[in-house]
Amino acid sequence: MANTNYTELIDNLIVAFNETFLMCGISLALAIVIGIPLGTLLFITGRGLFWQNRLLNLLGGFLVNIIRSTPFVILLVLLLPFTRLVVGTSIGPVAASVPLGIVAVAFYARLVESALHEVDKGVIEAATAMGATHFQIIKDVLFPEALGGLLRGLTITAISLVGYSAMAGIVGGGGVGDLAIRYGYYRYQTDVMIITVVLLIILVQILQSLGDFSAKKAEKK
Amino acid sequence: MIEFDTISVRFQHKKSAVDAVKNVSFRIEKGEIFGIVGTSGAGKSTLLRTINLLQRPTSGRVLIDGHDVTHLQGDALRTLRISIGMIFQQFNLIHTKTVFENVAFAMKVAGKSSAEISTRVYEALELVGLTDKASVYPSTLSGGQKQRVGIARGIVNNPQILLCDEATSALDLETTDSILALLQEINRRLGITIVLITHEMEVVKKIANRVAVMSGGELLELGDVFSVFASPLHPFTQSLVNRTLNLDLPTRIVENCKNPLVKIVYNGDHAEHAIISETVQKFNIDLNILHGKIEYIGGKPFGVLVVQIVGEHAEAEQVLNYLKEKTYKVEVLHG
Ligand SMILES: Nc1ncnc2c1ncn2[C@@H]1O[C@H](COP(=O)(O)OP(=O)(O)OP(=O)(O)O)[C@@H](O)[C@H]1O
Ligand SMILES: [Mg+2]
């Protein structure tokens, strides 16, 4: 086992955490900006809803399923040309954010759809009976009523992203998970591996608590 | 005025079809409280929902104040819906909005200014007696209070019509009475036409002016509440009415009864006369009252008595004839 230089490790960890935050931050932002509208579209085009559209619903659902059923490592490689097209390079944390973001969007869209399904149909009907427009129903009924579920879904997405981002090392994305694999697994520095894994556990716990707290607050029950 | 003109609603599934409403035609007058009763699955909700087109009829027309609304779309449909309030069995309040915001949402939908909203919402809450609950969330309210919020929301835009889908079915008896009293007050004070559907005759009896009885998607009979109660035409209605009168005697009493046992039904025209004491004085017999109930429907008495005729056999026959003449209906249960 190699001796560990702890000052170097701390520097490495800081860099790695920054990379993790960058990758997860970008993909989470994409999940919110694209995943929410996509999930909403999947919901309102579904059966018995006000935008019922079988073709759009099937198409959207199929796209989401393709992304979700492809193993991430394979997606990472398959998307290399696309990544290069979008960010100009296929190496580094920003490049890794492209496949991560795509996975996050698909993942979160499904969670958004199911959170919206949880909204009491009677409340939607009451709003319809009042004469509300579709936009008003989405904005003033569906989203506020589903907010707790949307936040829980976002928490699950964020935590999964931390896990997925470990594989971003393959395209030089870096990050904490990658650090753990490189030092702990390939160089047999068990102490480094344990430290990073513990830090990752703490990070996930913090995310989970933040998510639970905000979801509870949003549910007003 | 709401008019159903040969309304039918069919729910088509892959192979099977359900005819929820079959060729129903009738009118609901302006300013009345109109009840629609029937058992579960009778098509009451489906028919009610054609009024604000939550359900489009498969065929037939719905006319409101003489205008055919059946094919309204878009803004015209929303304008119609704004002019019709609706309350629900499960209240259907927005859980994440306060009481104030729930009522305000209906006004926002109607395009009202926030200045108007802030005063009018309090007026509506005042009417239902919930001003002190304006800033709480629905989860902290009782069922009756939730329905009051529902009512405030339903009337805040000064609608012409208020639709009530089993509005009291989730509430206990006492709360039901207070909600019914509130609906009646709203009808009297604001002149809003109220259409309420229920599976309980009691509800109709308490506040409705007229009632329609539905079963299996069909309209069985329709009339003012008193006459439907006093002389139900259809066997289905008769059993509904009997159930609310609930005058069953223990079988032991009926079987061991040595004297003739009769059920006397009398209504507004007879109820105020002292028929029982008159009969006893006129004949040499006693009338032993075993069961009885007098209901007041719209202020008119309607009563049922189960009596035993104690006396000579020959006289009993005469008594029966006399009672038949003096009351609405006499039915021999035993004897
Ligand atoms: N959206 C729907 N799709 C298919 N069938 C339906 C639908 N809505 C109602 N039905 C059917 O139509 C019939 C009438 O239903 P409806 O809800 O109008 O009855 P109801 O008299 O209101 O009964 P309840 O007292 O249970 O509310 C029932 O057989 C029901 O199963
Ligand atoms: Mg119903």
Side-chain angles (χ1 to χ4, degrees), chain B residues 20-22 24 26 36-39 42-48 197 212-221 236-237 240:
Chain B
V21 176
K22 298 173 190 160
V24 167
F26 66 89
I36 301 174
V37 287
T39 49
K44 309 178 294 289
S45 296
T46 308
L47 182 65
L48 186 82
I197 63 177
V213 182
M214 282 184 80
S215 176
E218 285 174 278
L219 176 69
L220 297 185
E221 64 183 284
F236 178 79
T237 320
L240 266 186

Side-chain angles (χ1 to χ4, degrees), chain A residues 47 120-123 125-134 136-137 139-141 144-146 218-221, chain B residues 13-14 49 52 54 78 81-82 84 86 88 91-97 102 105-106 108-109 137 139 153 157:
Chain A
R47 243 195 103 176
D120 186 350
K121 297 286 175 298
V123 180
E125 178 165 282
T128 310
M130 277 179 229
T133 60
H134 294 166
Q136 282 169 328
I137 293 175
K139 177 175 152 293
D140 285 316
V141 179
E145 291 287 277
E219 275 161 359
K220 310 249 166 72
K221 275 184 183 150
Chain B
H13 291 284
K14 285 195 180 80
R49 289 154 53 87
N52 59 1
L54 285 179
R78 281 194 293 278
R81 286 176 173 164
I82 289 167
I84 301 175
M86 188 168 192
F88 305 85
F91 325 120
N92 295 349
L93 303 178
I94 303 171
H95 308 86
T96 48
K97 289 194 195 299
N102 262 284
F105 179 56
K108 200 172 143 190
V109 163
Y137 288 95
S139 61
R153 181 174 73 175
N157 287 320

Side-chain angles (χ1 to χ4, degrees), chain A residues 2-12 183 189 191-192:
Chain A
N3 278 335
T4 309
N5 177 345
Y6 283 99
T7 23
E8 193 194 305
L9 175 63
I10 290 173
D11 288 343
N12 280 340
Y183 283 76
Q189 283 176 292
D191 52 348
V192 177

